[in-house]
Amino acid sequence: MQEKQNNIALVWFRNDLRVNDNAVLKAATKTHKSVIACYCFDPRHYGMSDYGFKKTEKFRTQFLIETLENLKTNLKALNIELFVFTETPETVINTLVTKHNITSIYLQKEWTSEEVEVLENVKSSIADTIKIREYYDQFLYHPDDIDLSFSDIPKVFTVFRKKVEKYSSIRISEESSTVDKIERLENNTNIPKLKDLGFQEFEAHPKSAFPFKGGESVALDRLNDYFFKTQKLGFYKKTRNGLIGKDFSSKFSPWLANGSISARTIYWNIRKFEEDHVKNQSTYWLIFELIWRDYFKYVSLKHQNDIFKIGGILNKDYDWKTNERPIQKWINGETRSPFVNANMIELKKTGWMSNRGRQNVASFFAKELLLDWRIGAAYFETMLIDYDVHSNYGNWMYVAGVGNDPRDRKFNVDIQAERYDSNGKFQQLWLQETLF
């Protein structure tokens, strides 16, 4: 067993906001006797995007605040103090490092352009002697375990899925350990309120299909309820295309997106459910969805910033439009399709939309209105509680015909509405809402 280092380590949290099954936190607590942590509500995340939308709206912001409150409590149980800032990481991390004589910073490895740029800024602001220790920790199948270089990631999901299912294994989570309490440690930082970030307080919409709060503890409660208390997991494949209520799908995506639960934790609990209750198409299908999530991450590792370009990863040249009027009509639920409109109003009111809804409104935007798909993707980034950069842009490329769909299909929203909302109940639920 290695001797723990006396110096204090810093864990810089980004999209890994949990204490359970967290490789970054585990490495820090295993190596150092004392650890502190930090999180930055980066002001750039609350500014305007290139497409004229606020980068983050109130729904995900509130969910993030709740997540940080829970993380702070859970870290305290490990004797780790969480410092929270509303300034850029490059502004505050150097101060933290200097004040506490930090020699090592631990963080989850990210690779998309904004996150890479921020890390480079932080590196420039601190001494060269400080070690930056990065860990891939947002996958079901770890990059070291898939026996594929990023450049060899298959063009088609099915090929990727079959390969990892046959030849790769999923790691068993190891928990972080308690560290020594740092005596006389001062922490005058506070988790901001919504108003501190430029938003008004709001009540969650009573019709929301996602009525849950943020944080690891709520995520684990949801898992326990959906799997073991109600055993809804056993029917997931039959209900997953639902539109109304909290239990037609697992609803794990918001917690997965900010890392307050890991894909591995979900996977191993599915296996436990299969041992204790039933193994069927439904239990497999949730694993299947987790592999899709991995695939979009590997696609972005392979193609890097091409996932944000108008031609996508296929570099296809379509004649995209950018007319403001149809964009606003789509956003406000004023298109020719009541089904699209109902989904868009739900998103505007709640920050949530079903998977079935997302595919339809994205296809309508790109394939029927022929609008620049990146504008739709940017609007989703603004509004969705469960925004995840890889899944969002991967899915939008897919439906726009510039991504990983060899068939380049178009959803017929009228047929889809008839199939998935034949009684019109979902459309009635949201079309009667006033938008403003």
Side-chain angles (χ1 to χ4, degrees):
M1 189 174 169
Q2 71 177 62
E3 186 78 15
K4 282 193 176 188
Q5 297 176 21
N6 277 320
N7 55 308
I8 301 171
L10 172 65
V11 173
W12 173 16
F13 281 96
R14 296 194 286 180
N15 284 326
D16 55 339
L17 304 178
R18 63 185 183 275
V19 300
N20 291 287
D21 190 28
N22 186 323
V24 177
L25 190 61
K26 182 183 183 302
T29 59
K30 186 179 177 183
T31 311
H32 299 264
K33 287 184 177 178
S34 299
V35 176
I36 61 172
C38 75
Y39 182 85
C40 298
F41 283 83
D42 192 328
R44 290 167 295 212
H45 294 167
Y46 303 93
M48 301 300 283
S49 74
D50 294 340
Y51 298 100
F53 306 121
K54 211 174 175 68
K55 276 184 76 69
T56 312
E57 257 298 344
K58 62 184 179 182
F59 301 109
R60 190 162 74 257
T61 304
Q62 180 61 35
F63 192 79
L64 180 58
I65 289 168
E66 292 160 358
T67 300
L68 266 293
E69 288 167 347
N70 186 235
L71 178 65
K72 186 167 186 173
T73 300
N74 292 345
L75 284 171
K76 265 199 188 305
L78 299 176
N79 291 328
I80 298 171
E81 191 66 35
L82 178 66
F83 293 78
V84 180
F85 303 96
T86 53
E87 298 162 85
T88 63
E90 54 265 42
T91 307
V92 294
I93 286 179
N94 181 46
T95 307
L96 209 55
V97 163
T98 306
K99 184 174 181 180
H100 299 284
N101 299 314
I102 304 293
T103 55
S104 297
I105 300 175
Y106 291 76
L107 68 155
Q108 179 173 274
K109 187 170 180 62
E110 303 279 353
W111 56 90
T112 37
S113 52
E114 289 178 10
E115 289 77 10
V116 170
E117 186 179 344
V118 171
L119 178 57
E120 289 306 312
N121 291 343
V122 169
K123 285 178 180 176
S124 299
S125 74
I126 60 177
D128 294 341
T129 52
I130 294 163
K131 294 184 174 66
I132 304 285
R133 304 189 185 280
E134 295 181 87
Y135 300 82
Y136 283 117
D137 197 34
Q138 50 184 267
F139 295 88
L140 182 61
Y141 290 97
H142 192 282
D144 290 346
D145 302 337
I146 63 167
D147 195 29
L148 279 168
S149 67
F150 297 149
S151 61
D152 291 331
I153 297 299
K155 291 178 182 177
V156 178
F157 167 70
T158 305
V159 179
F160 173 82
R161 176 181 61 80
K162 287 181 176 177
K163 182 167 175 58
V164 295
E165 285 181 330
K166 187 171 183 180
Y167 297 110
S168 306
S169 58
I170 292 160
R171 297 182 178 189
I172 295 171
S173 62
E174 296 180 70
E175 299 312 323
S176 305
S177 52
T178 307
V179 292
D180 292 347
K181 195 170 186 178
I182 303 170
E183 298 301 327
R184 296 183 296 280
L185 181 68
E186 278 187 31
N187 181 3
N188 299 318
T189 68
N190 294 301
I191 297 168
K193 306 287 187 206
L194 267 181
K195 59 179 171 53
D196 301 323
L197 298 166
F199 301 100
Q200 291 185 331
E201 300 289 333
F202 69 97
E203 291 291 324
H205 198 287
K207 297 177 187 173
S208 176
F210 189 85
F212 307 101
K213 292 193 178 296
E216 179 177 19
S217 299
V218 182
L220 294 172
D221 283 347
R222 170 60 178 173
L223 184 149
N224 190 48
D225 182 70
Y226 190 75
F227 285 12
F228 303 109
K229 282 187 183 174
T230 65
Q231 296 178 34
K232 295 267 171 57
L233 172 60
F235 308 98
Y236 171 71
K237 194 164 190 281
K238 293 176 185 172
T239 64
R240 68 192 175 87
N241 282 310
L243 300 164
I244 300 173
K246 68 182 175 69
D247 286 334
F248 64 78
S249 65
S250 69
K251 301 295 197 300
F252 292 141
S253 57
W255 296 293
L256 278 167
N258 71 20
S260 43
I261 194 169
S262 74
R264 291 182 300 264
T265 294
I266 295 169
Y267 174 85
W268 289 114
N269 277 281
I270 294 170
R271 291 304 189 207
K272 185 176 189 309
F273 179 89
E274 289 175 336
E275 283 177 22
D276 295 352
H277 300 289
V278 64
K279 181 176 182 177
N280 60 15
Q281 280 192 317
S282 289
T283 58
Y284 171 70
W285 209 258
L286 192 50
I287 296 170
F288 179 91
E289 300 284 3
L290 290 173
I291 301 172
W292 254 117
R293 177 178 175 270
D294 260 19
Y295 182 59
F296 281 137
K297 292 185 182 299
Y298 282 113
V299 166
S300 79
L301 272 164
K302 177 180 181 177
H303 294 282
Q304 299 290 310
N305 288 334
D306 284 352
I307 69 170
F308 305 117
K309 292 177 180 173
I310 194 164
I313 62 173
L314 299 181
N315 199 24
K316 279 198 170 179
D317 188 18
Y318 291 106
D319 185 21
W320 299 108
K321 300 172 185 173
T322 57
N323 308 34
E324 188 64 27
R325 183 166 167 75
I327 293 168
Q328 287 304 317
K329 288 174 85 73
W330 178 78
I331 285 171
N332 293 327
E334 297 169 347
T335 74
R336 68 149 190 88
S337 165
F339 188 54
V340 168
N341 297 343
N343 277 289
M344 294 305 295
I345 293 167
E346 179 187 28
L347 177 61
K348 194 159 201 172
K349 288 286 188 177
T350 70
W352 178 265
M353 191 191 295
S354 68
N355 180 58
R356 182 56 46 187
R358 295 177 201 205
Q359 290 177 313
N360 275 275
V361 303
S363 181
F364 188 85
F365 188 89
K367 294 290 181 65
E368 184 150 332
L369 301 178
L370 304 175
L371 293 163
D372 181 344
W373 65 272
R374 297 171 304 168
I375 299 170
Y379 184 67
F380 270 27
E381 176 175 351
T382 298
M383 296 302 295
L384 284 171
I385 297 173
D386 63 352
Y387 168 72
D388 170 285
V389 59
H390 317 106
S391 292
N392 186 59
Y393 282 87
N395 272 308
W396 270 94
M397 284 193 300
Y398 190 92
V399 297
V402 297
N404 297 92
D405 183 6
R407 287 169 288 184
D408 189 16
R409 75 195 103 181
K410 174 184 175 181
F411 283 80
N412 183 316
V413 295
D414 304 315
I415 292 173
Q416 291 271 308
E418 180 58 39
R419 182 179 300 164
Y420 296 105
D421 190 34
S422 54
N423 57 11
K425 196 174 173 185
F426 171 76
Q427 291 164 79
Q428 289 164 21
L429 183 71
W430 291 107
L431 292 175
Q432 63 190 355
E433 286 285 319
T434 52
L435 260 186
F436 303 103

